[in-house]
Amino acid sequence: MTLVGAFDLHIGVARAAQILRAGIEATDIPLHPIDCSPVLRPIPGPAQPRAAAPANATMVFCVNPPQMVPLLSHFGPRICRGKRLVGYWWWELDRVPRAWLPWAALMDEIWVSSRFIHDTFARGLPGKVVRYVPLPVPEPAAAPLGRADFGLAEQPFTVLAAFDLSSRWARKNPVGAIAAFRQAFPSAGEAQLVLKVSGAEQNPAQAEQLRGLTADMPNVRIIDRNLPQRDLAALIPCADVLISLHRGEGFGLFIAEAMWLGTAIVATGWSGVMDMLDPENALLVAFDKVAVRPADYPSVPPGAAWAGPVIGHAADCLRRLGGGPGLP
């Protein structure tokens, strides 16, 4: 098997590729990994040489269709010849983008990591083999770090929200998380909010907007630098609760890792996260299904809808957890 993935980047699809690679390497399946990190996010220095691949193999592309053009432009289309092609794809809406249809036609199979994506693709790609292949998320290995190492106060109830600004501002909905925290804890001394932000350098306008939204909140700590994986795993249990007021998630890798580490979850009760969340292990935030606006998501498929989480209910969930040491 040949696996093409961005193994060296600090983004969700890259982390998923790393996990998938480790899972395959734990079997007796011969694996030939090809790193496409420099193609998806060019780095200074000499051009990277084109990687070779076995003449005959199953080739799994652990990247979404929008990345296929630069990838094949770099490696050349010959990399696909004589191989069974698989796209291991992620998607967050309930309709398949039209621009993805030609790429789906080129794939022999499509693999997906959640039942939500499976159902979306099965509806939108009739006749195509779509397989539910769960991502084998390992228990995170955390560095020996505590709140003080991240510049956090030791005592207050702590809420963590984590998102990548490159993953669409409206979808990740940091505005909703901030609003729910404000409503739940109007006094600055009651709690602290940690915003772990990726992609700030690539999205400076949104990073500045985030600072503006929290400028009057002394109990907010923004961490916008890249953290090693062990440090990121250490940050999660520093929080009493992880909040995700997403409007749509294909899988929810950060939520899965927080569950491994025993941090309580407050999350919108819709989309790919529902493979792992239920009322017994999380506080699920009520939502209304609303149309996706073209301004909020590029190439929105006609008729696509996502969740509009109810901010008041999310605030109630945070207050419920903040009133005691854990779930009642």
Side-chain angles (χ1 to χ4, degrees):
M1 179 181 291
T2 297
L3 180 64
V4 182
F7 303 118
D8 289 336
L9 297 186
H10 296 281
I11 55 177
V13 67
R15 177 65 181 140
Q18 296 160 10
I19 292 172
L20 186 61
R21 176 180 177 176
I24 297 171
E25 288 175 340
T27 73
D28 57 0
I29 299 173
L31 180 67
H32 182 86
I34 295 179
D35 183 28
C36 64
S37 301
V39 180
L40 301 189
R41 189 166 290 178
I43 56 177
Q48 298 294 313
R50 293 186 178 184
N56 297 296
T58 293
M59 175 168 277
V60 180
F61 291 98
C62 202
V63 297
N64 279 345
Q67 286 79 52
M68 291 295 294
V69 171
L71 191 150
L72 292 181
S73 296
H74 176 80
F75 291 115
R78 288 181 295 178
I79 198 172
C80 299
R81 290 178 185 170
K83 300 178 179 66
R84 183 171 182 80
L85 303 181
V86 175
Y88 197 2
W89 294 350
W90 287 264
W91 185 238
E92 303 91 10
L93 305 182
D94 59 355
R95 299 288 191 279
V96 180
R98 287 175 174 172
W100 289 30
L101 300 183
W103 293 106
L106 290 177
M107 298 295 157
D108 294 288
E109 297 186 5
I110 296 172
W111 294 356
V112 298
S113 59
S114 72
R115 293 181 179 89
F116 171 78
I117 311 175
H118 178 275
D119 293 347
T120 297
F121 286 177
R123 287 193 308 268
L125 303 170
K128 178 63 62 177
V129 177
V130 181
R131 298 190 188 277
Y132 172 47
V133 182
L135 196 65
V137 180
E139 181 176 4
L145 302 175
R147 288 187 177 184
D149 297 294
F150 296 103
L152 304 177
E154 291 288 351
Q155 295 303 319
F157 183 77
T158 301
V159 179
L160 170 65
F163 45 91
D164 188 338
L165 293 178
S166 300
S167 295
R168 308 302 169 192
W169 174 275
R171 181 177 73 82
K172 288 295 189 179
N173 194 20
V175 175
I178 294 168
F181 179 84
R182 278 184 182 272
Q183 189 170 327
F185 307 109
S187 172
E190 294 181 85
Q192 61 184 339
L193 174 64
V194 184
L195 300 175
K196 174 60 188 80
V197 184
S198 301
E201 290 185 3
Q202 294 76 29
N203 302 273
Q206 290 183 347
E208 188 60 30
Q209 184 179 353
L210 192 67
R211 295 185 189 97
L213 287 171
T214 58
D216 63 337
M217 301 174 70
N219 53 342
V220 173
R221 169 88 164 106
I222 298 176
I223 302 176
D224 58 6
R225 68 185 187 278
N226 286 331
L227 294 178
Q229 197 61 41
R230 283 170 49 84
D231 291 7
L232 185 60
L235 175 63
I236 296 173
C238 288
D240 297 290
V241 56
L242 172 69
I243 185 169
S244 177
L245 294 190
H246 57 266
R247 292 188 169 95
E249 277 286 2
F251 178 70
L253 177 58
F254 203 77
I255 290 175
E257 294 183 327
M259 294 178 75
W260 259 119
L261 294 166
T263 299
I265 306 294
V266 170
T268 311
W270 187 73
S271 61
V273 299
M274 298 309 291
D275 274 8
M276 52 189 157
L277 299 184
D278 60 48
E280 298 298 319
N281 63 21
L283 293 182
L284 301 177
V285 176
F287 63 91
D288 300 309
K289 287 292 289 294
V290 297
V292 184
R293 301 183 307 170
D296 289 337
Y297 213 94
S299 304
V300 175
W306 59 12
V310 179
I311 301 303
H313 185 223
D316 289 343
C317 292
L318 291 178
R319 277 194 296 267
R320 176 181 166 190
L321 289 170
L327 288 170

PDB file of all heavy atoms in Angstrom, residues 152-186:
ATOM      1  N   LEU A 152      -1.455  29.945  32.419  1.00  0.00           N
ATOM      2  CA  LEU A 152      -2.831  29.920  32.912  1.00  0.00           C
ATOM      3  C   LEU A 152      -2.857  30.022  34.430  1.00  0.00           C
ATOM      4  O   LEU A 152      -1.952  29.517  35.116  1.00  0.00           O
ATOM      5  CB  LEU A 152      -3.533  28.628  32.483  1.00  0.00           C
ATOM      6  CG  LEU A 152      -3.555  28.333  30.977  1.00  0.00           C
ATOM      7  CD1 LEU A 152      -4.220  26.986  30.714  1.00  0.00           C
ATOM      8  CD2 LEU A 152      -4.279  29.437  30.222  1.00  0.00           C
ATOM      9  N   ALA A 153      -3.914  30.631  34.937  1.00  0.00           N
ATOM     10  CA  ALA A 153      -4.121  30.658  36.388  1.00  0.00           C
ATOM     11  C   ALA A 153      -4.454  29.261  36.875  1.00  0.00           C
ATOM     12  O   ALA A 153      -5.114  28.474  36.175  1.00  0.00           O
ATOM     13  CB  ALA A 153      -5.238  31.629  36.728  1.00  0.00           C
ATOM     14  N   GLU A 154      -4.028  28.933  38.078  1.00  0.00           N
ATOM     15  CA  GLU A 154      -4.162  27.562  38.577  1.00  0.00           C
ATOM     16  C   GLU A 154      -5.573  27.220  39.047  1.00  0.00           C
ATOM     17  O   GLU A 154      -6.024  26.092  38.916  1.00  0.00           O
ATOM     18  CB  GLU A 154      -3.178  27.330  39.727  1.00  0.00           C
ATOM     19  CG  GLU A 154      -1.714  27.300  39.298  1.00  0.00           C
ATOM     20  CD  GLU A 154      -1.365  26.033  38.534  1.00  0.00           C
ATOM     21  OE1 GLU A 154      -2.187  25.099  38.484  1.00  0.00           O
ATOM     22  OE2 GLU A 154      -0.257  25.978  37.967  1.00  0.00           O
ATOM     23  N   GLN A 155      -6.319  28.202  39.595  1.00  0.00           N
ATOM     24  CA  GLN A 155      -7.542  27.877  40.305  1.00  0.00           C
ATOM     25  C   GLN A 155      -8.833  27.917  39.483  1.00  0.00           C
ATOM     26  O   GLN A 155      -9.696  27.056  39.663  1.00  0.00           O
ATOM     27  CB  GLN A 155      -7.687  28.812  41.526  1.00  0.00           C
ATOM     28  CG  GLN A 155      -6.612  28.615  42.577  1.00  0.00           C
ATOM     29  CD  GLN A 155      -6.550  27.185  43.108  1.00  0.00           C
ATOM     30  OE1 GLN A 155      -7.574  26.546  43.337  1.00  0.00           O
ATOM     31  NE2 GLN A 155      -5.340  26.683  43.292  1.00  0.00           N
ATOM     32  N   PRO A 156      -9.050  28.891  38.605  1.00  0.00           N
ATOM     33  CA  PRO A 156     -10.399  29.022  38.037  1.00  0.00           C
ATOM     34  C   PRO A 156     -10.818  27.826  37.191  1.00  0.00           C
ATOM     35  O   PRO A 156      -9.984  27.089  36.645  1.00  0.00           O
ATOM     36  CB  PRO A 156     -10.276  30.282  37.162  1.00  0.00           C
ATOM     37  CG  PRO A 156      -9.038  30.957  37.581  1.00  0.00           C
ATOM     38  CD  PRO A 156      -8.132  29.898  38.096  1.00  0.00           C
ATOM     39  N   PHE A 157     -12.131  27.643  37.095  1.00  0.00           N
ATOM     40  CA  PHE A 157     -12.713  26.699  36.156  1.00  0.00           C
ATOM     41  C   PHE A 157     -12.237  27.089  34.757  1.00  0.00           C
ATOM     42  O   PHE A 157     -12.290  28.263  34.371  1.00  0.00           O
ATOM     43  CB  PHE A 157     -14.237  26.760  36.244  1.00  0.00           C
ATOM     44  CG  PHE A 157     -14.938  25.778  35.359  1.00  0.00           C
ATOM     45  CD1 PHE A 157     -15.025  24.443  35.703  1.00  0.00           C
ATOM     46  CD2 PHE A 157     -15.529  26.202  34.171  1.00  0.00           C
ATOM     47  CE1 PHE A 157     -15.678  23.546  34.883  1.00  0.00           C
ATOM     48  CE2 PHE A 157     -16.191  25.315  33.347  1.00  0.00           C
ATOM     49  CZ  PHE A 157     -16.262  23.974  33.702  1.00  0.00           C
ATOM     50  N   THR A 158     -11.737  26.121  33.993  1.00  0.00           N
ATOM     51  CA  THR A 158     -11.058  26.422  32.737  1.00  0.00           C
ATOM     52  C   THR A 158     -11.763  25.753  31.559  1.00  0.00           C
ATOM     53  O   THR A 158     -12.007  24.544  31.567  1.00  0.00           O
ATOM     54  CB  THR A 158      -9.587  25.971  32.794  1.00  0.00           C
ATOM     55  OG1 THR A 158      -8.932  26.642  33.884  1.00  0.00           O
ATOM     56  CG2 THR A 158      -8.863  26.296  31.501  1.00  0.00           C
ATOM     57  N   VAL A 159     -12.064  26.574  30.565  1.00  0.00           N
ATOM     58  CA  VAL A 159     -12.720  26.118  29.342  1.00  0.00           C
ATOM     59  C   VAL A 159     -11.734  26.252  28.188  1.00  0.00           C
ATOM     60  O   VAL A 159     -11.073  27.286  28.047  1.00  0.00           O
ATOM     61  CB  VAL A 159     -13.994  26.937  29.057  1.00  0.00           C
ATOM     62  CG1 VAL A 159     -14.659  26.465  27.763  1.00  0.00           C
ATOM     63  CG2 VAL A 159     -14.952  26.857  30.232  1.00  0.00           C
ATOM     64  N   LEU A 160     -11.640  25.217  27.376  1.00  0.00           N
ATOM     65  CA  LEU A 160     -10.733  25.206  26.223  1.00  0.00           C
ATOM     66  C   LEU A 160     -11.536  25.121  24.932  1.00  0.00           C
ATOM     67  O   LEU A 160     -12.445  24.300  24.805  1.00  0.00           O
ATOM     68  CB  LEU A 160      -9.775  24.012  26.322  1.00  0.00           C
ATOM     69  CG  LEU A 160      -8.904  23.705  25.100  1.00  0.00           C
ATOM     70  CD1 LEU A 160      -7.918  24.846  24.829  1.00  0.00           C
ATOM     71  CD2 LEU A 160      -8.147  22.382  25.300  1.00  0.00           C
ATOM     72  N   ALA A 161     -11.204  25.971  23.976  1.00  0.00           N
ATOM     73  CA  ALA A 161     -11.731  25.869  22.616  1.00  0.00           C
ATOM     74  C   ALA A 161     -10.534  25.836  21.681  1.00  0.00           C
ATOM     75  O   ALA A 161      -9.622  26.660  21.813  1.00  0.00           O
ATOM     76  CB  ALA A 161     -12.641  27.049  22.285  1.00  0.00           C
ATOM     77  N   ALA A 162     -10.522  24.890  20.759  1.00  0.00           N
ATOM     78  CA  ALA A 162      -9.381  24.740  19.851  1.00  0.00           C
ATOM     79  C   ALA A 162      -9.889  24.705  18.413  1.00  0.00           C
ATOM     80  O   ALA A 162     -10.871  24.025  18.109  1.00  0.00           O
ATOM     81  CB  ALA A 162      -8.617  23.455  20.180  1.00  0.00           C
ATOM     82  N   PHE A 163      -9.212  25.434  17.543  1.00  0.00           N
ATOM     83  CA  PHE A 163      -9.657  25.477  16.151  1.00  0.00           C
ATOM     84  C   PHE A 163      -8.513  25.979  15.276  1.00  0.00           C
ATOM     85  O   PHE A 163      -7.593  26.655  15.724  1.00  0.00           O
ATOM     86  CB  PHE A 163     -10.872  26.395  15.988  1.00  0.00           C
ATOM     87  CG  PHE A 163     -10.753  27.706  16.695  1.00  0.00           C
ATOM     88  CD1 PHE A 163     -10.217  28.814  16.067  1.00  0.00           C
ATOM     89  CD2 PHE A 163     -11.170  27.836  18.026  1.00  0.00           C
ATOM     90  CE1 PHE A 163     -10.091  30.020  16.736  1.00  0.00           C
ATOM     91  CE2 PHE A 163     -11.045  29.043  18.698  1.00  0.00           C
ATOM     92  CZ  PHE A 163     -10.499  30.138  18.044  1.00  0.00           C
ATOM     93  N   ASP A 164      -8.601  25.594  13.998  1.00  0.00           N
ATOM     94  CA  ASP A 164      -7.646  26.012  12.984  1.00  0.00           C
ATOM     95  C   ASP A 164      -8.329  27.068  12.117  1.00  0.00           C
ATOM     96  O   ASP A 164      -9.380  26.800  11.526  1.00  0.00           O
ATOM     97  CB  ASP A 164      -7.219  24.806  12.135  1.00  0.00           C
ATOM     98  CG  ASP A 164      -6.080  25.127  11.179  1.00  0.00           C
ATOM     99  OD1 ASP A 164      -5.881  26.313  10.845  1.00  0.00           O
ATOM    100  OD2 ASP A 164      -5.391  24.188  10.747  1.00  0.00           O
ATOM    101  N   LEU A 165      -7.760  28.251  12.041  1.00  0.00           N
ATOM    102  CA  LEU A 165      -8.367  29.321  11.250  1.00  0.00           C
ATOM    103  C   LEU A 165      -8.391  28.986   9.762  1.00  0.00           C
ATOM    104  O   LEU A 165      -9.148  29.590   9.001  1.00  0.00           O
ATOM    105  CB  LEU A 165      -7.620  30.628  11.475  1.00  0.00           C
ATOM    106  CG  LEU A 165      -7.734  31.217  12.890  1.00  0.00           C
ATOM    107  CD1 LEU A 165      -6.897  32.487  13.003  1.00  0.00           C
ATOM    108  CD2 LEU A 165      -9.180  31.498  13.250  1.00  0.00           C
ATOM    109  N   SER A 166      -7.573  28.015   9.343  1.00  0.00           N
ATOM    110  CA  SER A 166      -7.601  27.582   7.947  1.00  0.00           C
ATOM    111  C   SER A 166      -8.763  26.634   7.661  1.00  0.00           C
ATOM    112  O   SER A 166      -8.998  26.282   6.509  1.00  0.00           O
ATOM    113  CB  SER A 166      -6.277  26.895   7.582  1.00  0.00           C
ATOM    114  OG  SER A 166      -5.182  27.775   7.766  1.00  0.00           O
ATOM    115  N   SER A 167      -9.466  26.205   8.716  1.00  0.00           N
ATOM    116  CA  SER A 167     -10.575  25.259   8.558  1.00  0.00           C
ATOM    117  C   SER A 167     -11.931  25.949   8.499  1.00  0.00           C
ATOM    118  O   SER A 167     -12.949  25.336   8.829  1.00  0.00           O
ATOM    119  CB  SER A 167     -10.558  24.242   9.705  1.00  0.00           C
ATOM    120  OG  SER A 167      -9.406  23.441   9.646  1.00  0.00           O
ATOM    121  N   ARG A 168     -11.978  27.188   8.131  1.00  0.00           N
ATOM    122  CA  ARG A 168     -13.184  27.981   7.947  1.00  0.00           C
ATOM    123  C   ARG A 168     -13.726  28.502   9.278  1.00  0.00           C
ATOM    124  O   ARG A 168     -14.181  27.750  10.137  1.00  0.00           O
ATOM    125  CB  ARG A 168     -14.277  27.211   7.198  1.00  0.00           C
ATOM    126  CG  ARG A 168     -13.831  26.586   5.888  1.00  0.00           C
ATOM    127  CD  ARG A 168     -13.294  27.627   4.925  1.00  0.00           C
ATOM    128  NE  ARG A 168     -12.632  27.005   3.780  1.00  0.00           N
ATOM    129  CZ  ARG A 168     -11.886  27.662   2.906  1.00  0.00           C
ATOM    130  NH1 ARG A 168     -11.684  28.955   3.059  1.00  0.00           N
ATOM    131  NH2 ARG A 168     -11.320  27.042   1.895  1.00  0.00           N
ATOM    132  N   TRP A 169     -13.650  29.817   9.418  1.00  0.00           N
ATOM    133  CA  TRP A 169     -14.075  30.530  10.624  1.00  0.00           C
ATOM    134  C   TRP A 169     -15.513  30.209  10.996  1.00  0.00           C
ATOM    135  O   TRP A 169     -15.828  29.889  12.136  1.00  0.00           O
ATOM    136  CB  TRP A 169     -13.885  32.014  10.361  1.00  0.00           C
ATOM    137  CG  TRP A 169     -14.372  32.961  11.397  1.00  0.00           C
ATOM    138  CD1 TRP A 169     -15.636  33.452  11.525  1.00  0.00           C
ATOM    139  CD2 TRP A 169     -13.612  33.556  12.452  1.00  0.00           C
ATOM    140  NE1 TRP A 169     -15.702  34.330  12.590  1.00  0.00           N
ATOM    141  CE2 TRP A 169     -14.477  34.406  13.170  1.00  0.00           C
ATOM    142  CE3 TRP A 169     -12.282  33.467  12.842  1.00  0.00           C
ATOM    143  CZ2 TRP A 169     -14.041  35.157  14.254  1.00  0.00           C
ATOM    144  CZ3 TRP A 169     -11.860  34.211  13.933  1.00  0.00           C
ATOM    145  CH2 TRP A 169     -12.725  35.039  14.619  1.00  0.00           C
ATOM    146  N   ALA A 170     -16.420  30.275  10.016  1.00  0.00           N
ATOM    147  CA  ALA A 170     -17.838  30.068  10.306  1.00  0.00           C
ATOM    148  C   ALA A 170     -18.110  28.638  10.746  1.00  0.00           C
ATOM    149  O   ALA A 170     -18.960  28.398  11.611  1.00  0.00           O
ATOM    150  CB  ALA A 170     -18.684  30.406   9.081  1.00  0.00           C
ATOM    151  N   ARG A 171     -17.410  27.678  10.162  1.00  0.00           N
ATOM    152  CA  ARG A 171     -17.666  26.279  10.510  1.00  0.00           C
ATOM    153  C   ARG A 171     -17.194  25.971  11.931  1.00  0.00           C
ATOM    154  O   ARG A 171     -17.914  25.336  12.716  1.00  0.00           O
ATOM    155  CB  ARG A 171     -16.971  25.349   9.511  1.00  0.00           C
ATOM    156  CG  ARG A 171     -17.222  23.861   9.803  1.00  0.00           C
ATOM    157  CD  ARG A 171     -16.591  22.976   8.764  1.00  0.00           C
ATOM    158  NE  ARG A 171     -15.149  22.902   8.857  1.00  0.00           N
ATOM    159  CZ  ARG A 171     -14.489  22.109   9.702  1.00  0.00           C
ATOM    160  NH1 ARG A 171     -15.169  21.335  10.556  1.00  0.00           N
ATOM    161  NH2 ARG A 171     -13.175  22.073   9.719  1.00  0.00           N
ATOM    162  N   LYS A 172     -15.993  26.386  12.266  1.00  0.00           N
ATOM    163  CA  LYS A 172     -15.475  26.118  13.609  1.00  0.00           C
ATOM    164  C   LYS A 172     -16.190  26.954  14.669  1.00  0.00           C
ATOM    165  O   LYS A 172     -16.270  26.557  15.832  1.00  0.00           O
ATOM    166  CB  LYS A 172     -13.970  26.385  13.644  1.00  0.00           C
ATOM    167  CG  LYS A 172     -13.144  25.343  12.914  1.00  0.00           C
ATOM    168  CD  LYS A 172     -13.256  23.982  13.579  1.00  0.00           C
ATOM    169  CE  LYS A 172     -12.283  22.984  12.996  1.00  0.00           C
ATOM    170  NZ  LYS A 172     -12.355  21.659  13.654  1.00  0.00           N
ATOM    171  N   ASN A 173     -16.669  28.142  14.283  1.00  0.00           N
ATOM    172  CA  ASN A 173     -17.540  28.966  15.120  1.00  0.00           C
ATOM    173  C   ASN A 173     -16.900  29.389  16.444  1.00  0.00           C
ATOM    174  O   ASN A 173     -17.491  29.213  17.519  1.00  0.00           O
ATOM    175  CB  ASN A 173     -18.862  28.226  15.378  1.00  0.00           C
ATOM    176  CG  ASN A 173     -19.942  29.128  15.937  1.00  0.00           C
ATOM    177  OD1 ASN A 173     -19.884  30.345  15.807  1.00  0.00           O
ATOM    178  ND2 ASN A 173     -20.934  28.539  16.579  1.00  0.00           N
ATOM    179  N   PRO A 174     -15.714  29.972  16.412  1.00  0.00           N
ATOM    180  CA  PRO A 174     -15.144  30.487  17.662  1.00  0.00           C
ATOM    181  C   PRO A 174     -15.990  31.604  18.268  1.00  0.00           C
ATOM    182  O   PRO A 174     -15.989  31.794  19.485  1.00  0.00           O
ATOM    183  CB  PRO A 174     -13.756  30.974  17.250  1.00  0.00           C
ATOM    184  CG  PRO A 174     -13.870  31.253  15.793  1.00  0.00           C
ATOM    185  CD  PRO A 174     -14.810  30.227  15.260  1.00  0.00           C
ATOM    186  N   VAL A 175     -16.702  32.355  17.420  1.00  0.00           N
ATOM    187  CA  VAL A 175     -17.564  33.422  17.928  1.00  0.00           C
ATOM    188  C   VAL A 175     -18.614  32.832  18.867  1.00  0.00           C
ATOM    189  O   VAL A 175     -18.920  33.397  19.934  1.00  0.00           O
ATOM    190  CB  VAL A 175     -18.239  34.175  16.761  1.00  0.00           C
ATOM    191  CG1 VAL A 175     -19.229  35.201  17.288  1.00  0.00           C
ATOM    192  CG2 VAL A 175     -17.197  34.836  15.875  1.00  0.00           C
ATOM    193  N   GLY A 176     -19.178  31.688  18.498  1.00  0.00           N
ATOM    194  CA  GLY A 176     -20.176  31.037  19.341  1.00  0.00           C
ATOM    195  C   GLY A 176     -19.598  30.577  20.661  1.00  0.00           C
ATOM    196  O   GLY A 176     -20.235  30.726  21.727  1.00  0.00           O
ATOM    197  N   ALA A 177     -18.380  30.014  20.625  1.00  0.00           N
ATOM    198  CA  ALA A 177     -17.746  29.548  21.868  1.00  0.00           C
ATOM    199  C   ALA A 177     -17.486  30.718  22.809  1.00  0.00           C
ATOM    200  O   ALA A 177     -17.714  30.613  24.035  1.00  0.00           O
ATOM    201  CB  ALA A 177     -16.445  28.820  21.539  1.00  0.00           C
ATOM    202  N   ILE A 178     -17.012  31.837  22.267  1.00  0.00           N
ATOM    203  CA  ILE A 178     -16.749  33.019  23.096  1.00  0.00           C
ATOM    204  C   ILE A 178     -18.053  33.560  23.677  1.00  0.00           C
ATOM    205  O   ILE A 178     -18.132  33.917  24.863  1.00  0.00           O
ATOM    206  CB  ILE A 178     -16.014  34.086  22.269  1.00  0.00           C
ATOM    207  CG1 ILE A 178     -14.621  33.591  21.886  1.00  0.00           C
ATOM    208  CG2 ILE A 178     -15.924  35.395  23.045  1.00  0.00           C
ATOM    209  CD1 ILE A 178     -13.928  34.440  20.841  1.00  0.00           C
ATOM    210  N   ALA A 179     -19.097  33.608  22.866  1.00  0.00           N
ATOM    211  CA  ALA A 179     -20.391  34.121  23.338  1.00  0.00           C
ATOM    212  C   ALA A 179     -20.965  33.245  24.438  1.00  0.00           C
ATOM    213  O   ALA A 179     -21.509  33.745  25.436  1.00  0.00           O
ATOM    214  CB  ALA A 179     -21.375  34.218  22.172  1.00  0.00           C
ATOM    215  N   ALA A 180     -20.860  31.919  24.284  1.00  0.00           N
ATOM    216  CA  ALA A 180     -21.377  31.009  25.307  1.00  0.00           C
ATOM    217  C   ALA A 180     -20.602  31.174  26.612  1.00  0.00           C
ATOM    218  O   ALA A 180     -21.187  31.169  27.712  1.00  0.00           O
ATOM    219  CB  ALA A 180     -21.292  29.571  24.814  1.00  0.00           C
ATOM    220  N   PHE A 181     -19.279  31.345  26.523  1.00  0.00           N
ATOM    221  CA  PHE A 181     -18.467  31.542  27.722  1.00  0.00           C
ATOM    222  C   PHE A 181     -18.842  32.853  28.416  1.00  0.00           C
ATOM    223  O   PHE A 181     -18.979  32.896  29.649  1.00  0.00           O
ATOM    224  CB  PHE A 181     -16.989  31.535  27.343  1.00  0.00           C
ATOM    225  CG  PHE A 181     -16.061  31.752  28.513  1.00  0.00           C
ATOM    226  CD1 PHE A 181     -15.691  30.691  29.325  1.00  0.00           C
ATOM    227  CD2 PHE A 181     -15.564  33.012  28.799  1.00  0.00           C
ATOM    228  CE1 PHE A 181     -14.844  30.881  30.411  1.00  0.00           C
ATOM    229  CE2 PHE A 181     -14.722  33.216  29.873  1.00  0.00           C
ATOM    230  CZ  PHE A 181     -14.362  32.151  30.680  1.00  0.00           C
ATOM    231  N   ARG A 182     -19.000  33.921  27.653  1.00  0.00           N
ATOM    232  CA  ARG A 182     -19.409  35.208  28.233  1.00  0.00           C
ATOM    233  C   ARG A 182     -20.725  35.075  29.000  1.00  0.00           C
ATOM    234  O   ARG A 182     -20.876  35.595  30.111  1.00  0.00           O
ATOM    235  CB  ARG A 182     -19.595  36.240  27.127  1.00  0.00           C
ATOM    236  CG  ARG A 182     -18.360  36.925  26.605  1.00  0.00           C
ATOM    237  CD  ARG A 182     -18.778  37.981  25.594  1.00  0.00           C
ATOM    238  NE  ARG A 182     -17.683  38.689  24.980  1.00  0.00           N
ATOM    239  CZ  ARG A 182     -17.113  39.783  25.478  1.00  0.00           C
ATOM    240  NH1 ARG A 182     -17.556  40.279  26.628  1.00  0.00           N
ATOM    241  NH2 ARG A 182     -16.118  40.389  24.843  1.00  0.00           N
ATOM    242  N   GLN A 183     -21.678  34.398  28.375  1.00  0.00           N
ATOM    243  CA  GLN A 183     -22.993  34.267  28.983  1.00  0.00           C
ATOM    244  C   GLN A 183     -22.952  33.386  30.218  1.00  0.00           C
ATOM    245  O   GLN A 183     -23.648  33.643  31.202  1.00  0.00           O
ATOM    246  CB  GLN A 183     -23.973  33.690  27.956  1.00  0.00           C
ATOM    247  CG  GLN A 183     -25.426  33.695  28.393  1.00  0.00           C
ATOM    248  CD  GLN A 183     -26.363  33.338  27.261  1.00  0.00           C
ATOM    249  OE1 GLN A 183     -26.111  33.656  26.108  1.00  0.00           O
ATOM    250  NE2 GLN A 183     -27.461  32.665  27.584  1.00  0.00           N
ATOM    251  N   ALA A 184     -22.122  32.351  30.187  1.00  0.00           N
ATOM    252  CA  ALA A 184     -22.047  31.426  31.315  1.00  0.00           C
ATOM    253  C   ALA A 184     -21.323  32.038  32.510  1.00  0.00           C
ATOM    254  O   ALA A 184     -21.706  31.808  33.669  1.00  0.00           O
ATOM    255  CB  ALA A 184     -21.341  30.141  30.887  1.00  0.00           C
ATOM    256  N   PHE A 185     -20.286  32.830  32.237  1.00  0.00           N
ATOM    257  CA  PHE A 185     -19.441  33.356  33.317  1.00  0.00           C
ATOM    258  C   PHE A 185     -19.243  34.863  33.117  1.00  0.00           C
ATOM    259  O   PHE A 185     -18.188  35.309  32.628  1.00  0.00           O
ATOM    260  CB  PHE A 185     -18.094  32.628  33.330  1.00  0.00           C
ATOM    261  CG  PHE A 185     -18.213  31.135  33.377  1.00  0.00           C
ATOM    262  CD1 PHE A 185     -17.884  30.365  32.265  1.00  0.00           C
ATOM    263  CD2 PHE A 185     -18.681  30.491  34.516  1.00  0.00           C
ATOM    264  CE1 PHE A 185     -17.998  28.980  32.306  1.00  0.00           C
ATOM    265  CE2 PHE A 185     -18.798  29.106  34.563  1.00  0.00           C
ATOM    266  CZ  PHE A 185     -18.463  28.350  33.459  1.00  0.00           C
ATOM    267  N   PRO A 186     -20.226  35.670  33.461  1.00  0.00           N
ATOM    268  CA  PRO A 186     -20.130  37.120  33.233  1.00  0.00           C
ATOM    269  C   PRO A 186     -19.064  37.795  34.089  1.00  0.00           C
ATOM    270  O   PRO A 186     -18.576  38.870  33.728  1.00  0.00           O
ATOM    271  CB  PRO A 186     -21.527  37.623  33.582  1.00  0.00           C
ATOM    272  CG  PRO A 186     -22.124  36.561  34.458  1.00  0.00           C
ATOM    273  CD  PRO A 186     -21.538  35.276  34.011  1.00  0.00           C
TER     274      PRO A 186
END
